[in-house]
Amino acid sequence: MKKYVVTGGAGFIGSTLVRTLLNAGGEVAVIDNLLSGHEKNVLEVRDRIKLHILDIRDGTAIAPVIDGADTVFHLAAIPSVPRSIDEPRPSHEVNIDGTFEVFNAAAKGKVRRLVYAASSSAYGDSETLPKIETMPAKPKSPYAVQKYVGELYASVFTSCFGLETVALRFFNVYGPRQDPSSAYSGILSLFMKHLIARTAPTIFGDGEQSRDFTYVEDVAALCLKAANAAGVAGKMFNAGNGSHYTLNQIWSMLQEMEGVKIPAKYGPPRAGDVRHSMADTAAAKAELGHAPKFTIEDGLSKTLAWYKGSL
Ligand SMILES: NC(=O)c1ccc[n+]([C@@H]2O[C@H](COP(=O)([O-])OP(=O)(O)OC[C@H]3O[C@@H](n4cnc5c(N)ncnc54)[C@H](O)[C@@H]3O)[C@@H](O)[C@H]2O)c1
């Protein structure tokens, strides 16, 4: 049985990936310090995984967990643009120093492959859409810089230390277990919370900014494909759907689904926010066999059903 390690496995995307890996027949160890993750996210699979409550910045503590793994999926991070502007140092320390410790432990521990959760924020504001892997990185926030440094390290760990790595630039991921309880929470989790409470969400900016919203199960499936594809070591791929919707469109769709009319409130645009985002998915399709299964309508209705059952 393959041994997988998921850093950040108690978080939103990580906890879905854990289920995907268990379904694929793997043995799964999670490293998470529960900063924004929760043990309840892995509740019904709790007895099938090993949960190590550790900080990725502690290289000595995480090394024995990572040692000898088939694949490490590195998702642990402080994953927020505005939080990286309000509190740049902890973001820097976790997203860069912690990432280095994970890569170092994987190289020393003879891990076969490491899949790194990179971010579409690395593109910044490109002139054209879709965003394609060959475009130069233009990070606009500390978070985007940090995630991009992780990509550079991933590629260098392949070329200098022989650790096979694949970086996946996640676009805006949404789905069950995305935590809506913080001011830094992902926009769709906040939309879900407000829709269910019948209150108005606040959209920062005019709401015409667009995102390539990607359902979390598609992202988890792609992570597994990246772990197994041949000839991709050291490369970076977009992990998006290849479509984009504005925040105003998504809020309208959600209101229609519930048959309600709740005009959103608008606040000032936020520093570091990218205006438009949409992935070119050709490389991920050709080299990783990427085939997203969920349309935005499917994904939103599955997500809404989950929030209704849990909030
Ligand atoms: N959600 C998105 O739309 C999106 C987009 C692009 C990239 N990403 C990346 O995907 C990954 C997962 O993000 P998410 O949305 O699931 O967020 P999340 O906050 O739910 O998950 C992050 C996890 O990392 C853990 N963590 C934080 N600091 C840690 C530390 N020092 N040591 C150990 N664990 C630590 C948290 O407790 C949490 O469980 C992140 O690397 C993020 O940068 C997410």
Side-chain angles (χ1 to χ4, degrees), residues 74-310:
H74 176 41
L75 278 72
I78 298 186
S80 160
V81 167
R83 189 165 179 179
S84 78
I85 293 173
D86 293 347
E87 300 164 2
R89 185 177 294 280
S91 275
H92 174 94
E93 288 174 355
V94 172
N95 297 348
I96 296 184
D97 299 343
T99 291
F100 171 81
E101 296 298 344
V102 173
F103 290 4
N104 195 39
K108 292 214 157 110
K110 304 278 179 246
V111 165
R112 183 189 61 86
R113 184 168 291 182
L114 182 144
V115 176
Y116 169 64
S119 166
S120 61
S121 61
Y123 286 113
D125 285 318
S126 60
E127 305 264 305
T128 53
L129 290 179
K131 300 190 183 198
I132 185 159
E133 289 87 342
T134 48
M135 285 176 172
K138 287 192 203 158
K140 283 181 69 178
S141 64
Y143 170 73
V145 169
Q146 293 151 12
K147 296 303 290 189
Y148 181 52
V149 168
E151 279 181 32
L152 298 176
Y153 256 134
S155 148
V156 162
F157 264 80
T158 299
S159 57
C160 295
F161 305 114
L163 171 68
E164 287 191 12
T165 64
V166 179
L168 296 176
R169 280 190 185 172
F170 296 174
F171 281 64
N172 281 65
V173 188
Y174 71 100
R177 294 185 295 279
Q178 189 168 27
D179 185 351
S181 67
S182 144
Y184 301 121
S185 296
I187 186 69
L188 273 196
S189 70
L190 295 170
F191 276 2
M192 294 291 165
K193 184 173 91 171
H194 283 286
L195 185 64
I196 290 166
R198 304 295 193 243
T199 53
T202 299
I203 293 175
F204 294 97
D206 61 6
E208 289 304 301
Q209 61 269 50
S210 67
R211 297 288 180 266
D212 189 343
F213 290 103
T214 309
Y215 190 62
V216 67
E217 284 183 37
D218 279 331
V219 172
L222 185 59
C223 287
L224 188 54
K225 286 182 174 156
N228 295 324
V232 292
K235 290 194 177 181
M236 177 275 282
F237 296 93
N238 286 339
N241 256 341
S243 54
H244 65 140
Y245 295 88
T246 67
L247 300 190
N248 288 332
Q249 283 174 322
I250 296 284
W251 181 240
S252 293
M253 288 163 85
L254 288 172
Q255 290 175 83
E256 255 173 54
M257 284 167 67
E258 283 291 278
V260 293
K261 280 219 173 308
I262 311 168
K265 294 187 273 194
Y266 291 87
R270 288 206 289 206
D273 260 359
V274 167
R275 185 70 180 158
H276 296 294
S277 190
M278 181 171 94
D280 182 293
T281 56
K285 191 173 172 193
E287 295 186 57
L288 304 177
H290 182 41
K293 286 207 301 212
F294 295 89
T295 63
I296 189 79
E297 290 81 7
D298 296 340
L300 288 180
S301 73
K302 277 175 85 76
T303 306
L304 182 56
W306 183 85
Y307 280 93
K308 279 183 172 173
S310 74

